Amino acid sequence: MRRRDVDLDAGLIRVRGSVSELNSGERIYKAPKSEAGKRSVAIPRSVMPIVVAHMKQFAEPGADGHVFVGAKGATPRRNHFNKLWHKACAEVGIKGLRFHDLRHTGNTLASQTNTSTRKLMTRLGHSSTRAALIYQHTSDRREREIADGVDAVIVNALKRRRRPKGHMGGHGGLIGPENG
């Protein structure tokens, strides 16, 4: 990623492609797998101070400067980065977390914001709903939020509903708190 891909004023990262490392060690720049992969991704506001600090302290200067630079001033190679990643995880007591798992976590969190699958697909750079749905995990907390949302719809409908007169005694086919 280059400095020009990070817009600190707008809080966006522009995804235009990536560098892949071949088994031979050669690095090649590749466009995303599909046109959907070319996109701008908004950075959460709470994360922006960390991004700004990183850009000031670690990123190379100039529009073409690399955002991630190793101790020797070069972009870390995949095998060296993995060693650094595992060491950092071990230092904070995390086992089994792969770097790619961060994308999975971020995309799962994004799926829990009540946005549409279409908007998630755009954010994630997916061209198929199948790919986007992989990240839409459920959790007990999310299940409670969904049930509470459904409950609010029911309660509001019962409050707005006019009670019919007659032998139904105001229950009109729906069971409410007063009808048991």
Side-chain angles (χ1 to χ4, degrees):
M1 185 182 316
R2 303 290 180 151
R3 196 178 263 276
R4 69 174 168 261
D5 298 322
V6 182
D7 184 339
L8 295 176
D9 294 329
L12 294 172
I13 293 177
R14 291 184 184 84
V15 180
R16 302 169 194 195
S18 64
V19 175
S20 291
E21 190 174 321
L22 303 175
N23 289 336
S24 66
E26 179 187 359
R27 293 179 180 182
I28 57 170
Y29 182 82
K30 294 183 352 181
K33 293 176 189 175
S34 69
E35 228 12 70
K38 296 177 185 173
R39 65 203 186 277
S40 292
V41 179
I43 303 166
R45 292 187 206 295
S46 62
V47 176
M48 279 305 298
I50 298 164
V51 174
V52 170
H54 174 88
M55 297 297 285
K56 285 180 183 175
Q57 185 174 357
F58 298 110
E60 293 177 328
D64 288 331
H66 289 95
V67 173
F68 301 103
V69 182
K72 295 180 181 177
T75 303
R77 296 237 175 234
R78 180 177 46 222
N79 63 344
H80 182 65
F81 177 82
N82 283 334
K83 288 176 189 171
L84 293 172
W85 175 254
H86 292 300
K87 180 182 175 191
C89 287
E91 286 176 6
V92 294
I94 297 173
K95 294 180 182 180
L97 181 67
R98 297 170 302 145
F99 188 73
H100 185 75
D101 293 339
L102 298 179
R103 173 178 165 81
H104 200 82
T105 300
N107 294 340
T108 299
L109 292 172
S111 76
Q112 294 175 356
T113 63
N114 297 325
T115 192
S116 69
T117 300
R118 168 53 59 202
K119 289 179 182 174
L120 282 173
M121 288 171 59
T122 299
R123 180 175 180 83
L124 309 179
H126 292 149
S127 54
S128 75
T129 54
R130 184 177 177 274
L133 290 174
I134 289 169
Y135 296 100
Q136 294 188 20
H137 301 289
T138 189
S139 66
D140 289 344
R141 187 185 107 243
R142 187 67 183 131
E143 277 299 315
R144 175 51 36 213
E145 290 171 356
I146 292 168
D148 290 347
V150 171
D151 186 61
V153 171
I154 293 168
V155 169
N156 286 334
L158 289 172
K159 285 179 183 174
R160 286 191 315 267
R161 205 170 138 265
R162 298 176 94 207
R163 305 278 182 224
K165 306 264 189 219
H167 77 281
M168 298 293 283
H171 118 38
L174 286 178
I175 298 175
E178 68 280 354
N179 299 319

